[in-house]
Amino acid sequence: MERHYTWQDPAPLADRVKDSDGLTYLHRMLDNGDRPPMAATLDFWLDAVGEGWTRWRGRPGQWAMNPIGSIHGGYAASLLDTALACAVHSTLDRGEAYTTLEIKVNLVRGLRPDAGEVVCESRIVHRGRRTGTAEAQLFDARGKLAAHGTTTCLIVPL
């Protein structure tokens, strides 16, 4: 089997971080259909965003299977990490950036390659001057919880 996909040069996306606050940046990303290369690689995309929350959708397939025939837990962890960090990103002021300090993932239900579209919803829990924390839940196509997680992000000046 083969899988072909394309991705955008991430440099223009990274350049835009300096020019706007986090929520404006994510709205532009959503409006333009932009996806970072990691999201294109794993076939997930930003679906909705507001201050302190995001919703992402994804389509895991056979290409993301582990040796026992289910979707590798790394797919769920990557989607959760993205959604969690973007919840924090949506609270950033112009001139601020973040980096993930910690992520915790709980896998509670396996995903199958034929499971259809998944949904990951994240929200900010705490936004301080130097750190932000967020939580997220990942649901399968039937709306059942597949995984949940939390993050702590360090907020730094650009």
Side-chain angles (χ1 to χ4, degrees), residues 23-135:
L23 185 58
T24 300
Y25 174 87
L26 290 170
H27 272 294
R28 279 192 212 143
M29 196 171 98
L30 178 62
D31 293 344
N32 294 335
D34 295 335
R35 292 198 288 181
M38 180 64 151
T41 300
L42 296 180
D43 199 15
F44 56 77
W45 59 94
L46 182 61
D47 179 54
V49 62
E51 186 170 354
W53 66 272
T54 68
R55 183 176 61 229
W56 291 75
R57 294 187 181 274
R59 283 187 297 263
Q62 286 184 330
W63 51 267
M65 285 172 58
N66 61 27
I68 61 170
S70 61
I71 298 301
H72 192 281
Y75 180 90
S78 293
L79 181 47
L80 282 162
D81 183 36
T82 299
L84 288 161
C86 285
V88 173
H89 190 142
S90 73
T91 69
L92 297 179
D93 292 328
R94 186 174 182 188
E96 289 183 319
Y98 71 91
T99 188
T100 300
L101 288 175
E102 172 185 65
I103 181 171
K104 168 76 167 88
V105 173
N106 292 283
L107 305 168
V108 298
R109 181 183 316 285
L111 295 172
R112 305 270 317 145
D114 59 354
E117 193 172 276
V118 297
V119 176
C120 188
E121 298 173 347
S122 66
R123 70 173 192 84
I124 195 84
V125 174
H126 167 76
R127 172 51 158 94
R129 187 177 61 78
R130 298 280 293 155
T131 61
T133 61
E135 61 187 12

